[in-house]
Amino acid sequence: MKRLSILTVLTIVGALVISACVAPPPETIEVPVVQTVLVEIEKEVKVVETVVVEVEKEVEKEVEKIIEKEIEVPSKTLVFSSRLFSPPREQEFFINEIIKPFEEEHGVTVNFQILDDNTLLDRARVQQETDHVTTDIVVAHNSRMPEWTEAGWVEDLTDQVAGWQDRTFMETFNQDTNMDGKQFFLPVGADVYLLLANNKALPYVPEGADIDNITWEQYAEWAKAIAEGEGEGKVCITGIPQKSWIYQFGGEALSFGAGFPDANSPEAMEAWKIWGDIGVAGGFIPGVLNVDSCVDPMMREEAWLTVFHNARAGQVFASNETQYTLGPAPSGPTGIGTIAGVSGYGVMKGSENYDLAVAFLEYLTRPDVQVKLAKGTGGFIPPVQEAIDFLGDDPTDEVIKKAILVLENGIASGVPAGNYQDWGAVKQCLDDLFQDTLMEGNEVTQERADAAQACIDGLLK
Amino acid sequence: MSDRSGRSNIKRVGRRTVLYIVVVGVVLVILTPVYFLVSLSFLSTREAYQYPLPLFPDFTTEFKLERGERGYLLSVYDDQSGEYETVLDTEDMEKVSTYMRTFLNTLMTPEEIQQQVDRLESNITVTGMENDAITFTHRRDLFQNYKVFFRITRDAVPALIRSLQIALLTIIISLSIGGMAGYAFARYRFKGREGLKFSVLFVRMFPAVAIAIPMIIILADMGLYDQPLGLSLVYSVGSIGLTVWITASIFMGIPVSLEEAAQVFGASRLRAFLRITLPLAFPGLAAAAMYAFLGAWNETVSAIILTQFRPTFSVVVYQTLLGSTGQVNLAAAAGMTMAVPAVIFTFFIRNYINQMWGGITV
């Protein structure tokens, strides 16, 4: 008995090992015309029927077998590697609601993979250098698009886009998606910053403040009132280094007339005062230094107030629409400031499925599909002008509308990561300032801000 | 005399009590996070973000339905507050159904929800009270997180099989090459032996990501890119060094006189090795196999870059969880799915490793 079980285990192991060693290389096989197959089946059925009428069961069996074989014909595979739609819920939506209809319509398979920007670039480099291109479509962040275009790893889509008369891509992102007058990326999933408040925070809203038109001073007052009333800070920012504090501060600084990234101009110093007030009053949540995304603290109701990425705000909002209130990012003396980002679809240079890839992008950038996608993935802005006509008055539509409002009326800045040796290190300069000043409950001095700016400037290319 | 024995008894009991407290403390420290991970993997998203975290998932969800501003107001019973908390105000039953599935792990079709709405409306018609409400309970799907994980990773099962293949191949390559080298280091004296033995660990000093790109180019040239065999070769490079050290120590602990005795009785050198030394060295080989398995099973950095159409299970889990903020329960389910095969493997191999504590001098 013992020997038998050992023999069984060894057999299984052997089978696994042998199958691993003789795994065939992946191939893409053209889909054969199904109609001809069906004709063949019909013929065969007829023949059998004319020969023997009594053996109907056998005939059925035979027909079933043939049909099964023909259904299992492998289809063409389109490889779609994306940095966007990474949350599991978004992945599920994208696969079921967006990819599947396309697969059924074209009789193909879309291999959807989530990868971060660095891995996408690494993989592209390898595929281009070895002349073994297996990725068809990539979705990259706008801050990394210059790396793709300068390396020549994505196809020029200008002529393809010119043929699509029913859609106009927002010009806000042309600087990133286009190069030398040619369009290499098609924008998708634009993002800005929105204010999100748990309704428990509403009793503390300063008198005369309107959430849809709140100023940064009022936001600070609100944060202080909550801290005082609750005995604990409830404002969330991402305190873990190299996350999005730079964007949270940067957007606010823009509303005061500063640049981005700007740590020490007079306008930036005004912006620091707001955070200094909140810090001195103990307005940040106690676990702020462990926060890498405000989604979790907001959902846990550990935090009640934040200004962050609209899609993530939408994600929290969707978890309980009756529990949260959304508004545009607070405004400063020059209006609403926000860091705006976008991702973009690109077709990998040398893609073997170029036509199919373009067909998929044509489908993905249709205005109605863009809205469906935006609503199903937390509330990204669909960066196609005509898409706005498809928005309704559902709470999720409201998220998108508010984001569009910020994008159209706000002072927006992209992420100039390409100008610096290491964008993560740039983030760190402001993270350090936050930790050694605001977290300690101190105001930001000009001297400290100058040091942060020197740190940033030292990283310029 | 009796006083002394009484005092020593008290001391012994005291020592034992302290020992048990320490042991129980250590066990709790180890098991508590495991328990929470398991529990979390069965919680709905809503439960997973409650404070304090529920110790057990609910088997049913209790709802309250009433008319709202936008359509119908859906509330969920909260065990902790003992009250119903509103979650949705809509007339879109599809949206309600999606919400229930996504956030509450409760599977109700739009038609079933519509039936409850109709019940509410008929109640209001009968009572004439606009603010009337109805309550209803629905069974929860405990395995929803696991189902979602396998649904969004359409390649999960093949990836699981691939990971097993890679891990087994890694064990075979590491043990055959590393084991032979370990035996040579233990039994033979040659120039530069210590230096060579030390140098086999050098390969472990390089981070995987640093050598991943050149590795791909080499594998692509060999026709092994995106192949289980290629990946197991890469993993073997790292685990061979460790295997050499473990097996060399084990073989050193087995007296050479045992082999010589077998040879005196007519066994060839190979037969003496196979029948005497190898069975004695088995615990050490099992330990080396376990390290090789766990290294190959959990490795993600190289696998992401070295695979595309044939990802390993760790890559599939990584890709699923890359942006899983707001869904820690799903992350827990994926983590559990990843951990179970490793736990099973360790469970089976532990008997051999336990033998290392006795019988063999290491």
Side-chain angles (χ1 to χ4, degrees), chain B residues 51-350:
Chain B
Y51 184 81
L53 196 68
L55 289 174
F56 307 101
D58 275 336
F59 291 91
T60 57
T61 315
E62 291 177 59
F63 295 100
K64 186 169 83 172
L65 193 69
E66 58 200 309
R67 281 184 180 172
E69 284 176 29
R70 288 175 175 270
Y72 293 95
L73 194 66
L74 184 79
S75 304
V76 179
Y77 184 75
D78 183 65
D79 288 335
Q80 310 213 0
S81 65
E83 292 171 359
Y84 282 96
E85 287 190 4
T86 59
V87 290
L88 213 54
D89 186 357
T90 182
E91 55 187 6
D92 182 353
M93 296 307 134
E94 188 73 48
K95 186 176 175 177
V96 177
S97 174
T98 304
Y99 182 88
M100 286 179 173
R101 177 170 49 84
T102 311
F103 292 99
L104 307 169
N105 290 5
T106 305
L107 308 182
M108 266 185 101
T109 62
E111 292 73 27
E112 286 172 322
I113 299 161
Q114 188 59 53
Q115 282 173 9
Q116 298 297 338
V117 168
D118 294 343
R119 192 160 72 90
L120 170 71
E121 288 300 335
S122 63
N123 264 20
I124 290 171
T125 308
V126 171
T127 59
M129 290 166 66
E130 290 284 322
N131 60 350
D132 203 359
I134 59 158
T135 58
F136 60 96
T137 303
H138 202 279
R139 191 172 47 82
R140 274 203 30 212
D141 184 355
L142 271 184
F143 292 95
Q144 177 68 1
N145 296 331
Y146 290 89
K147 286 177 185 172
V148 168
F149 170 71
F150 280 97
R151 210 166 37 231
I152 61 176
T153 55
R154 295 191 280 188
D155 204 21
V157 175
L160 193 65
I161 294 165
R162 264 192 299 275
S163 274
L164 285 170
Q165 289 176 334
I166 290 163
L168 290 170
L169 270 170
T170 306
I171 291 170
I172 291 166
I173 295 167
S174 306
L175 285 189
S176 52
I177 297 173
M180 285 193 285
Y183 185 77
F185 281 125
R187 290 283 185 265
Y188 299 97
R189 300 281 174 272
F190 52 89
K191 208 174 176 183
R193 189 176 76 119
E194 287 306 315
L196 191 63
K197 193 178 165 189
F198 185 70
S199 70
V200 293
L201 287 178
F202 277 179
V203 288
R204 295 185 69 87
M205 296 179 185
F206 297 98
V209 74
I211 55 170
I213 303 286
M215 198 70 82
I216 295 168
I217 294 165
I218 293 165
L219 287 178
D221 289 341
M222 290 167 71
L224 292 175
Y225 172 68
D226 203 19
Q227 298 280 352
L229 182 59
L231 210 51
S232 56
L233 283 172
V234 173
Y235 294 160
S236 299
V237 171
S239 58
I240 281 171
L242 199 65
T243 308
V244 167
W245 275 79
I246 293 171
T247 53
S249 308
I250 291 290
F251 288 128
M252 277 176 193
I254 300 168
V256 72
S257 54
L258 291 175
E259 281 181 60
E260 288 166 351
Q263 285 172 280
V264 165
F265 286 104
S268 65
R269 182 151 200 168
L270 178 67
R271 190 174 165 84
F273 171 77
L274 291 174
R275 301 303 299 270
I276 306 292
T277 316
L278 196 62
L280 289 171
F282 209 76
L285 295 176
M290 193 182 77
Y291 280 116
F293 179 89
L294 294 177
W297 181 260
N298 292 322
E299 207 284 335
T300 311
V301 177
S302 298
I304 287 171
I305 302 170
L306 295 172
T307 60
Q308 174 147 25
F309 294 102
R310 296 195 180 91
T312 61
F313 195 65
S314 64
V315 171
V316 164
V317 171
Y318 165 81
Q319 288 176 337
T320 306
L321 304 181
L322 195 61
S324 67
T325 48
Q327 259 189 299
V328 287
N329 48 336
L330 191 66
M336 285 297 301
T337 315
M338 179 89 202
V340 165
V343 170
I344 292 169
F345 180 82
T346 311
F347 180 80
F348 277 110
I349 214 159
R350 81 190 198 289

Side-chain angles (χ1 to χ4, degrees), chain A residues 13 15-17 19-21 23-26 77 79 81 86-89 91-92 95-96 99-100 103 110-116 119 122-123 125-127 129-130 132 134-135 292-293 295-296 299-301 312 315 318-323 393-396 398, chain B residues 45-46 48-51 70 73 85-90 92 95 99 101-103 144 148 151-154 161 164-166 168-169 172 209 213 216-217 220-221 225-229 303-305 307-310 318-328 330:
Chain A
V13 168
L16 279 169
V17 169
S19 63
C21 294
T77 300
V79 179
S81 299
S86 58
R89 203 170 295 127
Q91 285 186 50
E92 192 179 10
I95 289 166
N96 293 332
I99 288 178
K100 271 188 183 160
E103 285 179 331
V110 177
N111 183 334
F112 174 57
Q113 305 170 334
I114 289 292
L115 295 171
D116 59 81
T119 311
D122 284 344
R123 193 177 270 189
R125 184 184 302 115
V126 168
Q127 291 184 9
E129 284 177 6
T130 57
H132 182 70
T134 49
T135 305
D292 74 336
S293 162
V295 170
D296 286 357
M299 281 178 71
R300 274 199 304 268
E301 300 192 343
R312 300 302 140 242
Q315 192 183 340
S319 72
N320 189 341
E321 291 173 5
T322 63
Q323 184 63 37
D393 55 0
D394 189 75
T396 318
E398 295 298 325
Chain B
T45 303
R46 184 177 165 79
Y49 284 91
Q50 284 178 338
Y51 184 81
R70 288 175 175 270
L73 194 66
E85 287 190 4
T86 59
V87 290
L88 213 54
D89 186 357
T90 182
D92 182 353
K95 186 176 175 177
Y99 182 88
R101 177 170 49 84
T102 311
F103 292 99
Q144 177 68 1
V148 168
R151 210 166 37 231
I152 61 176
T153 55
R154 295 191 280 188
I161 294 165
L164 285 170
Q165 289 176 334
I166 290 163
L168 290 170
L169 270 170
I172 291 166
V209 74
I213 303 286
I216 295 168
I217 294 165
D221 289 341
Y225 172 68
D226 203 19
Q227 298 280 352
L229 182 59
I304 287 171
I305 302 170
T307 60
Q308 174 147 25
F309 294 102
R310 296 195 180 91
Y318 165 81
Q319 288 176 337
T320 306
L321 304 181
L322 195 61
S324 67
T325 48
Q327 259 189 299
V328 287
L330 191 66

Side-chain angles (χ1 to χ4, degrees), chain A residues 45 48-49 52 55-64:
Chain A
V45 174
V48 179
E49 274 182 343
V52 197
V55 214
E56 273 183 8
K57 277 185 185 175
E58 270 185 68
V59 174
E60 279 176 14
K61 268 188 185 175
E62 209 167 328
V63 172
E64 272 178 15

